[in-house]
């Protein structure tokens, strides 16, 4: 039996456009908040795992592992993880495994700077997460790749643009009171359907935005939490990660994401739970179709059946399984290397009762986070539970 990994503190910057802020400046803020939240000093940290995807492109800054350790006052080993948009979800998993391997205090998180460059430059930088030989050379961008997945889903299982629009409307609604979200703005289905086309079938509101932001979490062992009398109400009880080929053309089925299936099953088994036990989820809705694919891959719905979940109110704030109460990537924002850590930060607050949307899930004891890289060529899933 593996031990629980307690979350002693979390922090994140507001996501959005802060083109003057460096990745290091934002990570210092997020980590500082996590240290304050936990009541732990940086010198207690035994290792740092840090997610970042496009630092070389956006601010000509590589080698960010030791850079970020220095910035936050940590003198322990520090590693930068690149797993595209799943970078900090994978960083969290490394932290969980390090605590299970015997460490007492590990800092995890990530940071990304995207709004200091143009949308065209950001699109080019992001496409490095696709297959350079077989996709990027043919002109594939991420809005384009996920459009292929959406159209393929419609062909295989049915569904409409309007079904997807409800996902965007729901996530914007959830973000209305979240001051850390990039868009605190209600939209309706007509807004989504009438928005300028980005890549058919997607309009502007089917897409997550480019964002600046950082996230951090302090993970501690059960023994450390007890010894120091830390108030750790939430623990990570399950972790799973899986990979797939980068190129969509090699997938057996375009509108399915087997890496998420595998990562989800591993996380459930690790935590000793089933999908039915999950009360609330934060999933990687980089495009509206991505939320649908996530819900099916994670076992909440059969393939082809999650397309109407938001429309039917099953995943809204008052639904049976509230999804993306933070606003998700769609409305909270998506600074890619920070997103997985932000899901942990938001879920921790939701479960311990100090998130603006906590009241909607006051009985929740089990939360799930799903963080995907590329067209889900990498995926990290975590189960968080309220512990005594
Ligand atoms: N949702 C809602 N509003 C958005 C938005 C989004 N995704 N993206 C931008 N906006 C708004 C901006 O706030 C701005 O509003 P304003 O005029 O009231 O200030 C306006 O739209 C134009 O913003 P801009 O930054 O110029 O957007 P753009 O048209 O250059 O780019 C996208 C929009 C959708 C193409 C771009 O955000 C994008 O490529 N997103 C996908 C990112 C991605 O692929 N991530 C990786 C996922 S795997």
């Amino acid at each position: 039996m593996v031990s629980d990994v307690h979350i002693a503190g979390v922090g994140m910057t507001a996501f959005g456009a802060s083109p003057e802020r460096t990745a290091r400046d934002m990570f210092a803020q997020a980590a500082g908040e996590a240290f304050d939240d936990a009541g732990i000093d940086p010198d207690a940290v035994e290792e740092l795992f840090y997610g970042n995807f496009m630092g070389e492109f956006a601010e000509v800054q590589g080698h960010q592992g030791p850079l970020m350790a220095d910035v936050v006052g940590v003198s322990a080993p520090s590693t930068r993880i690149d797993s595209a948009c799943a970078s900090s979800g994978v960083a969290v998993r490394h932290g969980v495994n390090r605590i299970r391997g015997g460490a007492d205090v590990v800092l995890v998180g990530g940071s990304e700077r995207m709004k200091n460059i143009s949308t065209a430059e950001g699109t080019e930088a992001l496409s490095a997460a696709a297959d350079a030989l077989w996709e990027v050379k043919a002109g594939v961008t991420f809005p384009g790749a996920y459009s292929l997945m959406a159209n393929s889903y419609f062909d295989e299982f049915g569904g409409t643009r309007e079904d997807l629009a409800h996902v965007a409307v729901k996530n914007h609604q959830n973000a209305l009171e979240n001051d850390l979200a990039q868009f605190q703005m209600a939209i309706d289905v007509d807004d989504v359907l009438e928005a300028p086309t980005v890549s058919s079938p997607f309009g502007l509101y089917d897409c997550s935005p480019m964002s600046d932001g950082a996230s951090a979490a302090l993970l501690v062992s059960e023994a450390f939490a007890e010894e120091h009398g830390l108030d750790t109400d939430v623990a990570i009880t399950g972790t799973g990660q899986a990979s797939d080929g980068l190129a969509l053309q090699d997938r057996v089925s375009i509108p399915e994401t087997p890496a998420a299936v595998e990562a989800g099953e591993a996380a459930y088994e690790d935590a000793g739970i089933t999908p039915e036990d999950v009360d609330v989820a934060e999933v990687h809705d980089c495009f509206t179709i991505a939320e649908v694919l996530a819900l099916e891959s994670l076992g909440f719905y059969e393939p082809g059946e999650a397309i109407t979940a938001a429309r039917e109110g099953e995943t809204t704030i008052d639904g049976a399984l509230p999804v993306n109460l933070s606003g998700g990537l769609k409305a909270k924002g998506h600074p890619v290397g920070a997103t997985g850590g932000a899901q942990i930060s938001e879920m921790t607050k939701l479960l311990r009762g100090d998130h603006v949307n906590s009241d909607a899930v006051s009985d929740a004891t089990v939360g799930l986070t799903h963080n995907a890289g590329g067209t889900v060529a990498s995926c990290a899933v975590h189960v968080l539970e309220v512990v005594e």
Side-chain angles (χ1 to χ4, degrees):
M1 164 114 176
V2 289
S3 69
D4 295 344
V5 174
H6 290 248
I7 300 175
V10 293
M12 64 181 271
T13 65
F15 284 3
S18 308
E20 74 294 347
R21 294 192 76 182
T22 56
R24 70 183 82 179
D25 171 35
M26 294 187 287
F27 188 66
Q29 180 191 331
E33 287 176 11
F35 285 125
D36 288 348
D37 189 24
I40 294 176
D41 290 332
D43 58 14
V45 172
E46 291 162 77
E47 193 145 0
L48 166 55
F49 295 102
Y50 164 85
N52 174 265
F53 175 57
M54 48 192 269
E56 287 83 352
F57 194 103
E59 54 180 2
V60 200
Q61 181 64 68
H63 208 182
Q64 291 196 18
L67 173 70
M68 295 304 165
D70 186 37
V71 162
V72 303
V74 165
S75 54
S78 177
T79 305
R80 175 248 185 116
I81 311 268
D82 158 24
S83 204
C85 305
S87 294
S88 53
V90 173
V92 170
R93 178 173 159 80
H94 279 269
V96 168
N97 287 338
R98 183 72 174 87
I99 296 279
R100 287 176 173 179
D104 280 320
V105 184
V106 174
L107 178 63
V108 295
S111 186
E112 204 76 71
R113 193 175 181 191
M114 302 173 81
K115 296 295 284 184
N116 62 320
I117 54 177
S118 67
T119 301
E121 289 168 325
T123 303
E124 186 187 343
L126 288 166
S127 8
D131 189 314
L133 292 183
W134 299 106
E135 294 184 311
V136 185
K137 268 192 181 167
V140 166
T141 61
F142 275 96
Y146 272 90
S147 292
L148 291 170
M149 295 168 94
N151 286 320
S152 172
Y153 186 102
F154 293 158
D155 288 347
E156 178 94 17
F157 302 116
T160 64
R161 265 204 77 196
E162 197 169 330
D163 292 327
L164 292 180
H166 284 270
V167 175
V169 170
K170 166 180 75 68
N171 292 346
H172 270 256
Q173 188 66 31
N174 288 344
L176 274 184
E177 304 294 328
N178 185 356
D179 289 340
L180 300 178
Q182 186 160 349
F183 301 120
Q184 290 181 275
M185 166 189 82
I187 56 172
D188 62 23
V189 168
D190 287 340
D191 292 327
V192 184
L193 297 178
E194 289 162 16
T197 300
V198 172
S199 173
S200 179
F202 298 148
L204 180 67
Y205 294 117
D206 288 280
C207 307
S208 60
M210 308 268 181
S211 318
D212 300 311
S215 61
L218 265 168
L219 309 181
V220 300
S221 66
E222 201 161 340
F224 185 92
E226 272 172 24
E227 194 183 324
H228 292 81
L230 297 181
D231 193 13
T232 57
D233 297 334
V234 178
I236 298 180
T237 58
T239 179
Q241 184 186 346
S243 308
D244 201 350
L246 260 61
L248 276 182
Q249 69 190 41
D250 295 329
R251 305 271 172 92
V252 174
S253 170
I254 304 283
E256 292 180 77
T257 55
V261 176
E262 218 179 296
E265 285 174 355
Y268 292 136
E269 188 182 343
D270 196 26
I273 66 159
T274 68
E276 290 72 37
D277 296 315
V278 175
D279 299 310
V280 55
E282 287 285 311
V283 306
H284 195 98
D285 59 324
C286 51
F287 299 93
T288 44
I289 190 66
E291 178 166 312
V292 174
L293 299 178
L295 296 178
E296 294 175 2
S297 299
L298 294 166
F300 299 126
Y301 290 85
E302 291 298 316
E305 292 187 358
I307 184 80
T308 52
R311 186 175 196 150
E312 301 288 337
E314 293 160 6
T315 49
T316 48
I317 192 163
D318 52 357
L321 177 68
V323 173
N324 285 330
L325 287 181
S326 68
L329 284 54
K330 171 68 213 63
K332 179 172 93 269
H334 184 27
V336 294
T339 285
Q343 290 176 326
I344 297 293
S345 180
E346 296 275 24
M347 184 58 76
T348 300
K349 290 183 189 167
L350 281 165
L351 290 177
R352 70 185 188 189
D354 55 2
H355 190 280
V356 71
N357 283 331
S358 282
D359 284 351
V361 285
S362 52
D363 294 333
T365 58
V366 181
L368 176 140
T369 63
H370 156 278
N371 183 206
T375 47
V376 200
S378 53
C379 190
V381 175
H382 287 98
V383 175
L384 281 68
E385 293 188 61
V386 175
V387 288
E388 293 299 314

